[in-house]
Amino acid sequence: MSDDTGARFVASSIACAIAESITLPTDVAKTRLQVQNNTSTGVQYNGMYDCLKKTAQSEGIGACWKGLQPALVRQVCYGSLSLVLYEPIRQMFCEEGENPSFFQRLLAGGTAGAISITVFNPTEVIKTQIQTASSTKTMRSVISNIYKQGGIFAFWSGLQPNIARTFLVNAAELGTYDEAKSRIVPYTGDNALAHISASGVAGVTSALISTPADVIKTRLMDTAGKTRPSVIGAVTSTMREEGPTAFYKGFVPIVVRKVLWCTAFFVSYEQIRVMVNAKNVK
């Protein structure tokens, strides 16, 4: 298979759009579960299914796809850049002609993701505020409001935990997928079964290690332009007011989303990349 940069860019862009469109409702549920606080009357949402059910009942079924526009912009831009950067960075970490180790794959995946999300952090801030709003908001109105209240730097709210979260996610998704695939392919061949199996491993691993950073990132982004809480402040207040389990709020929709997203993305990516490379050869 050719390592053509254009093929990786096209394949990752299309695969990101497919995976994001399929799994966005789980992301909406995850985001709303993460920003809700315990009160004397309990919580508004009791899990992923309850959140999606109440959202659809009170705001319409379309609300389960809130933030689709910025989500697609974010995933296509961030995802494609990560995939384009991953293989060159992976090769930088090992000698020429040498097979990369699992650690080198993890490091390359995390580095590619951290660079990409630093550039495209504003798209995630916009998506978060649209998803947590009870009323319908447009990208334009959210952008205007954030800028008016917090200036240009408000679009990089939550950047530190987002870099940490994205490093962990990409290390787990790209690095673990790459490693799992390399171990599965000798037994199954380079086919859909290998891609689906490796995707499942990557999705579960990603959810387990990245959820705490994702909770803090979501809470900071939800208040972008309104307050300026620090990462340490968000961590300590969450621990003090809600306890350690709060750092895994939204875990069920995260793991469901990750497994579905990784499967939809990597299977689509592998097939589209083959087709694009085959077309380029002709």
Side-chain angles (χ1 to χ4, degrees):
M1 182 188 296
S2 167
D3 284 331
D4 175 62
T5 301
R8 281 183 280 126
F9 176 79
V10 172
S12 59
S13 297
I14 297 173
C16 279
I18 293 171
E20 194 69 9
S21 298
I22 293 172
T23 64
L24 192 65
T26 60
D27 190 50
V28 171
K30 178 269 296 184
T31 301
R32 293 189 172 203
L33 287 168
Q34 287 179 341
V35 299
Q36 72 174 351
N37 294 314
N38 296 328
T39 65
S40 58
T41 57
V43 293
Q44 182 178 3
Y45 306 119
N46 295 302
M48 180 179 71
Y49 174 75
D50 184 58
C51 179
L52 291 175
K53 179 182 177 181
K54 288 179 178 175
T55 298
Q57 288 176 340
S58 62
E59 302 169 48
I61 190 67
C64 295
W65 275 267
K66 270 190 171 181
L68 178 60
Q69 188 177 359
L72 289 176
V73 172
R74 183 250 189 207
Q75 280 296 353
V76 170
C77 294
Y78 149 77
S80 58
L81 182 57
S82 295
L83 262 294
V84 167
L85 292 175
Y86 173 67
E87 292 188 13
I89 292 174
R90 185 187 64 187
Q91 293 310 118
M92 286 172 54
F93 292 141
C94 60
E95 299 294 331
E96 187 174 349
E98 176 186 69
N99 287 326
S101 66
F102 182 34
F103 176 74
Q104 288 168 332
R105 296 180 203 269
L106 293 176
L107 189 58
T111 302
I115 293 171
S116 300
I117 205 59
T118 299
V119 177
F120 295 111
N121 194 79
T123 61
E124 193 150 358
V125 172
I126 296 164
K127 181 192 74 161
T128 298
Q129 294 210 2
I130 290 175
Q131 289 181 336
T132 56
S134 58
S135 59
T136 301
K137 291 187 176 181
T138 64
M139 282 185 64
R140 187 170 184 173
S141 66
V142 171
I143 291 170
S144 176
N145 189 55
I146 292 172
Y147 182 75
K148 186 184 300 181
Q149 294 187 10
I152 191 68
F153 293 110
F155 291 99
W156 274 267
S157 293
L159 178 61
Q160 290 173 302
N162 203 18
I163 289 176
R165 176 252 181 200
T166 306
F167 186 96
L168 295 172
V169 165
N170 259 45
E173 288 182 3
L174 296 183
T176 304
Y177 174 81
D178 201 12
E179 178 71 14
K181 179 185 166 186
S182 71
R183 293 177 179 273
I184 295 169
V185 164
Y187 298 96
T188 65
D190 192 359
N191 53 31
L193 177 59
H195 303 158
I196 292 170
S197 301
S199 296
V201 174
V204 173
T205 304
S206 174
L208 284 169
I209 68 172
S210 68
T211 298
D214 192 65
V215 170
I216 299 304
K217 177 268 299 181
T218 298
R219 293 186 171 200
L220 289 174
M221 289 182 174
D222 186 48
T223 59
K226 305 168 191 173
T227 61
R228 293 180 180 273
S230 66
V231 174
I232 294 175
V235 171
T236 54
S237 64
T238 298
M239 174 65 81
R240 182 178 61 253
E241 296 169 12
E242 302 171 66
T245 57
F247 292 103
Y248 273 87
K249 277 190 172 182
F251 178 73
V252 171
I254 285 178
V255 75
V256 170
R257 172 176 163 79
K258 286 296 181 185
V259 171
L260 292 176
W261 199 97
C262 286
T263 302
F265 174 79
F266 284 115
V267 171
S268 300
Y269 172 76
E270 297 280 8
Q271 299 303 314
I272 295 168
R273 185 178 177 187
V274 168
M275 289 189 290
V276 173
N277 279 324
K279 186 175 180 180
N280 289 340
V281 171
K282 294 178 182 178

